[in-house]
Amino acid sequence: MSAFRRTRPDATDGRAASQLPARRDTQLESHMARPQVSTVGELRQLVERGEIARRTVHEEVRENLIRKLRAGEPVFSGIIGYDDTVIPQLVNALLSRHNFILLGLRGQAKTRLLRALVTLLDEEIPVMPGCEINDDPLDPICAACRARIEDQGERLPIAWLGRERRYVEKLATPDVTIADMVGDIDPIKAARAGLQLSSELTMHYGLLPRANRGIFAINELPDLAGKIQVGLF
């Protein structure tokens, strides 16, 4: 899931958000509270029995948002003045499973809104331990994790990743490169491991892959060089 914050110099909506520190909503119940699971085999059994949900980030945010709305809880705590404008549009975007861009003057709580999205994530999700891109233990996509699954099978230990660590934010500046955002080949890693540069294992992951199974946000999107924006999208 991706969100982008853009400052618009000609914005005219003067309603400002509260300057109080952001408050995390701790009352949100989650489908993914950590059960007694430590291996891939145990995780697979609970998923097959329906005790642990497997879903995309968009579906996860949508279901947790619906639960909040039905319970009458505030969706974004600490945000004042947007109840009839910004928040309903943002709720519609999340319910529709969309990525989105926030436009507005500086100081209008755009970043605060983005960071508040973390409260709509599950408390924890299972991941491959030590994986840079938080791979799903039941469906890993990186070569290193697939090799570990083939080697250890259902006995492979898993780890749990908290919601706060699933949010990745980047301040866009003119010197940001494709390697920073997406990644690049690491020749030093290839040389040390004796690998061909074409090997997937030589990849150095950028911020976007590292936000896999989480929320990726960019602040000040217009400051990003045009070719980087094209490459990112």
Side-chain angles (χ1 to χ4, degrees):
M1 178 179 184
S2 303
F4 304 95
R5 173 183 179 272
R6 175 177 178 178
T7 299
R8 185 174 62 183
D10 58 345
T12 57
D13 189 343
R15 280 171 286 197
S18 169
Q19 297 301 314
L20 295 175
R23 181 180 61 192
R24 298 296 186 193
D25 187 349
T26 59
Q27 300 177 349
L28 178 63
E29 295 182 359
S30 169
H31 281 309
M32 194 69 80
R34 182 192 296 197
Q36 297 298 318
V37 177
S38 60
T39 67
V40 170
E42 294 172 354
L43 176 63
R44 192 183 307 279
Q45 291 177 7
L46 290 183
V47 169
E48 291 175 350
R49 294 203 299 262
E51 298 181 28
I52 292 182
R54 286 188 69 215
R55 52 195 173 170
T56 66
V57 176
H58 285 294
E59 291 169 343
E60 175 185 342
V61 168
R62 184 178 189 274
E63 292 175 15
N64 288 333
L65 173 59
I66 290 174
R67 189 176 302 108
K68 265 195 167 188
L69 294 173
R70 286 176 175 170
E73 301 176 19
V75 179
F76 300 109
S77 300
I79 305 295
I80 298 176
Y82 292 153
D83 292 342
D84 299 324
T85 54
V86 177
I87 291 180
Q89 296 179 47
L90 185 54
V91 167
N92 287 340
L94 296 174
L95 292 176
S96 302
R97 306 180 184 91
H98 288 171
N99 299 325
F100 55 85
I101 297 177
L102 298 178
L103 302 175
L105 293 171
R106 296 181 186 275
Q108 290 193 326
K110 297 185 294 298
T111 301
R112 184 187 293 267
L113 281 168
L114 295 179
R115 293 173 180 172
L117 295 175
V118 173
T119 64
L120 298 177
L121 296 173
D122 290 336
E123 292 180 8
E124 292 179 311
I125 61 170
V127 297
M128 292 289 289
C131 180
E132 295 178 287
I133 59 173
N134 304 322
D135 242 338
D136 182 351
L138 300 183
D139 188 23
I141 59 176
C142 77
C145 289
R146 293 197 304 269
R148 292 168 66 188
I149 289 289
E150 291 178 4
D151 180 48
Q152 300 185 49
E154 302 289 88
R155 298 176 288 103
L156 179 69
I158 64 171
W160 291 83
L161 186 70
R163 61 164 64 125
E164 300 290 339
R165 296 175 58 194
R166 297 173 62 196
Y167 176 80
V168 177
E169 180 181 309
K170 174 63 177 176
L171 176 63
T173 56
D175 60 340
V176 171
T177 66
I178 283 288
D180 296 328
M181 304 301 290
V182 179
D184 202 354
I185 299 297
D186 187 342
I188 297 178
K189 182 187 293 187
R192 287 177 175 173
L195 299 170
Q196 297 290 330
L197 291 178
S198 58
S199 171
E200 180 184 340
L201 296 174
T202 64
M203 184 70 180
H204 169 75
Y205 295 109
L207 291 176
L208 184 56
R210 290 175 186 273
N212 181 39
R213 305 178 71 207
I215 296 173
F216 180 61
I218 300 179
N219 271 321
E220 309 301 342
L221 182 61
D223 291 342
L224 207 59
K227 65 179 181 179
I228 307 301
Q229 294 187 39
V230 171
L232 179 62
F233 287 117

